[in-house]
Amino acid sequence: MSLNLNSKGPKIKEFHITPIAVVDPPLLNAAGLHAPYALRTVVELVTDDNISGISEIPGNIAIDIALEKSKSLIIGQDPFQLNQIRDILSANFDTEDTIKRGDTPWDQRTIVHIFSAIEVACLDIIGKIINRPVVDLLGGRRRESVPFSAYLFYKYEGAGGALGFDTNPNAIGWDAARQASALNPNEIVTQAKAMCQEFGFQSIKLKGGVFEPRQEVDAVLALREAFGAETPIRIDPNALWTVETSIKYGKEMEGVIEYLEDPCRGQENMATVRKALKTPLATNMCTTSFEDIPRSIELGAEDIILSDHHFWGGLQASMTLAGVCQTFGRDLSMHSNSHLGISLAAMVHLGAAIPNLRYALDTHYPWQSDEIITCGRLKFEDGQVAVPKGAGLGVELDRQALEKLHQNYLKCGLTKRNDEIEMQKVQPDWKFMPTRW
Ligand code: GKR
Ligand code: MG
């Protein structure tokens, strides 16, 4: 029987896709170096009674093209009918198995991002129509504000954007610290102090997979020395370590780190390391879709799944994941990539709804200085972000700022993230290796 669910209710009449380029400093990771701009795509859906809903996802020309293709499928749909919207999208795009995520630290799939972009914008619309925040559409809030962790990066000196590897000498406080180099344990501790002072973070994550493990473990030990046992610390080598290296350094950091994130590649290897260590393992690389769950449970691949509504297919799917995690005794926390305030608002609504939030969420937000929402940069207090007030996501598009960042996109010439190419501009022989140490 075919349902005609579109006869009543609002209809989506406009679908806008705006790629933007956001200033990003030269941060290092397992895949190379961040470009001077991080790409994001902003989606805006507008209903026939002029209610606008927005969302933000990682920028990538392939995703933008697929979004463009989904326009004709989505225009005319009722934003409340999210199941139907998902079914229509699934029927019109090829399925993407988990292999398509790729070897890089970030997820390279297309369709999951499209689901997320459309779903979050629809939830924003629904919230505005019924005058409730998005968190209420996820079952209601379990907390008023959501804790985030400091996210430290090894980095070259530089502000990113037009300044590239140069710095703005007039910057002060975190704005200045964000531009400084961090290439050894001492500089990492300095970065951590500046970031925690500005944002009040109570826990710390170090992005690893950049230098040989000894240096990175020394940075963790230096952080522990500087911040004491009361500040939880994690390290994320983005799967660059072998099983042996993961066990060796995992044992050395036992009692020092709260969890070890993706030390090595693949569920089997993670399960071997997990059996050898007392420290919990977390992932945003080996268990990244519902398709991965059965094997994860069978093997015992990780303790904590770092969800990300951008690639788990949206906020409601992330709530389903929370249920799966509860059922199978997994913890749930959150992964991030370079992002602005629309994504942060969505992450906070989700973070406020999920049960048993034991670990502070990841966010790259301190590394970005641009913004595209009318209230300006969202505030952290004691490392936490309060659920935005107002209906829907509770944030509105600043159209002038959006246009400025869209112009950045047109000028910068980047169309997808490729950290290897950026790194080769500094070290021509550098090559990404899925496992390095
Ligand atoms: O921004 O360089 C980065 C990170 O490496 C990011 O791409 C990862 O996806 O933060 C992420 C992670 O936890 O793996
Ligand atoms: Mg990670």
Side-chain angles (χ1 to χ4, degrees):
M1 192 180 80
S2 80
L3 291 172
N4 181 7
L5 296 169
N6 283 330
S7 54
K8 295 195 202 99
K11 303 276 178 298
I12 295 166
K13 73 162 188 213
E14 290 170 35
F15 187 145
H16 304 285
I17 303 160
T18 313
I20 58 173
V22 176
V23 170
D24 201 23
L27 307 180
L28 290 155
N29 73 11
L33 178 66
H34 283 211
Y37 294 94
L39 303 184
R40 304 294 285 171
T41 294
V42 175
V43 166
E44 182 180 20
L45 303 177
V46 185
T47 63
D48 45 6
D49 41 3
N50 288 323
I51 298 177
S52 143
I54 53 177
S55 61
E56 175 193 335
I57 54 170
N60 177 315
I61 190 131
I63 300 181
D64 294 346
I65 290 169
L67 272 172
E68 203 56 53
K69 182 179 159 200
S70 70
K71 258 189 188 173
S72 60
L73 303 168
I74 297 304
I75 289 182
Q77 298 298 325
D78 174 347
F80 280 79
Q81 301 306 324
L82 285 167
N83 293 333
Q84 179 166 298
I85 287 176
R86 186 173 285 267
D87 291 349
I88 290 171
L89 290 170
S90 302
N92 281 276
F93 286 99
D94 294 339
T95 40
E96 255 178 343
D97 57 25
T98 202
I99 296 279
K100 292 252 172 66
R101 149 185 214 288
D103 281 342
T104 50
W106 62 95
D107 195 301
Q108 306 203 32
R109 287 172 296 169
T110 301
I111 312 308
V112 282
H113 288 101
I114 288 180
F115 280 154
S116 168
I118 293 172
E119 187 238 30
V120 173
C122 285
L123 291 174
D124 191 24
I125 290 174
I126 297 170
K128 286 176 181 166
I129 291 175
I130 64 169
N131 197 22
R132 309 293 294 216
V134 163
V135 63
D136 285 4
L137 306 175
L138 304 175
R141 70 187 71 197
R142 288 187 155 107
R143 52 198 70 80
E144 291 298 329
S145 59
V146 176
F148 287 88
S149 167
Y151 196 157
L152 311 181
F153 275 86
Y154 286 104
K155 71 178 290 284
Y156 292 128
E157 184 177 68
L163 284 171
F165 295 104
D166 290 336
T167 57
N168 171 0
N170 301 321
I172 52 167
W174 169 246
D175 280 343
R178 178 172 39 209
Q179 302 177 48
S181 74
L183 297 169
N184 56 53
N186 281 343
E187 289 178 333
I188 284 290
V189 170
T190 304
Q191 184 187 94
K193 285 184 177 163
M195 196 188 267
C196 291
Q197 184 175 338
E198 177 75 14
F199 299 94
F201 295 123
Q202 315 281 314
S203 55
I204 295 176
K205 162 169 171 170
L206 174 62
K207 169 62 37 173
V210 174
F211 294 112
E212 58 91 22
R214 181 69 265 155
Q215 209 255 57
E216 298 190 351
V217 172
D218 284 346
V220 167
L221 300 176
L223 287 166
R224 166 67 173 246
E225 175 77 22
F227 286 83
E230 63 281 7
T231 305
I233 300 173
R234 321 117 186 213
I235 176 169
D236 175 12
N238 275 127
L240 248 65
W241 294 357
T242 62
V243 167
E244 295 67 34
T245 303
S246 305
I247 294 173
K248 175 177 168 205
Y249 288 105
K251 283 200 182 251
E252 187 177 334
M253 292 186 286
E254 228 142 39
V256 173
I257 50 174
E258 66 169 345
Y259 64 70
L260 178 56
E261 182 173 332
D262 287 311
C264 54
R265 197 166 290 277
Q267 290 180 325
E268 280 77 8
N269 288 338
M270 285 281 283
T272 307
V273 173
R274 186 169 177 245
K275 282 191 194 85
L277 298 180
K278 294 190 202 88
T279 309
L281 296 193
T283 190
N284 63 277
M285 295 184 77
C286 77
T287 303
T288 59
S289 66
F290 291 101
E291 184 193 331
D292 293 327
I293 298 283
R295 191 84 178 122
S296 150
I297 303 304
E298 194 185 323
L299 291 167
E302 71 282 312
D303 302 273
I304 304 146
I305 296 182
L306 301 171
S307 162
D308 182 324
H309 73 272
H310 305 91
F311 64 73
W312 276 89
L315 297 173
Q316 293 184 333
S318 300
M319 287 306 289
T320 304
L321 174 64
V324 171
C325 285
Q326 273 192 313
T327 307
F328 292 104
R330 296 282 190 274
D331 275 298
L332 183 69
S333 190
M334 208 179 284
H335 159 268
S336 90
N337 265 307
S338 310
H339 66 91
L340 293 181
I342 303 174
S343 279
L344 183 59
M347 289 156 75
V348 171
H349 284 280
L350 175 60
I354 56 183
N356 306 334
L357 189 64
R358 195 168 357 165
Y359 299 103
L361 279 44
D362 283 1
T363 178
H364 284 54
Y365 199 62
W367 292 105
Q368 275 73 64
S369 43
D370 293 314
E371 198 36 286
I372 44 163
I373 49 179
T374 50
C375 61
R377 306 266 310 154
L378 292 173
K379 302 270 173 304
F380 289 73
E381 252 177 60
D382 297 331
Q384 310 218 356
V385 179
V387 178
K389 292 200 173 38
L393 288 176
V395 294
E396 295 296 330
L397 256 188
D398 175 340
R399 291 172 197 284
Q400 247 183 331
L402 182 73
E403 179 52 28
K404 182 181 153 232
L405 298 194
H406 178 57
Q407 290 306 318
N408 277 356
Y409 175 81
L410 297 176
K411 275 186 239 136
C412 77
L414 300 166
T415 55
K416 64 185 259 211
R417 180 171 173 185
N418 188 330
D419 292 9
E420 185 182 42
I421 286 184
E422 295 305 318
M423 189 67 164
Q424 286 169 350
K425 292 178 186 166
V426 182
Q427 292 181 37
D429 297 338
W430 196 89
K431 280 245 163 311
F432 170 66
M433 290 165 68
T435 307
R436 197 181 281 276
W437 290 287

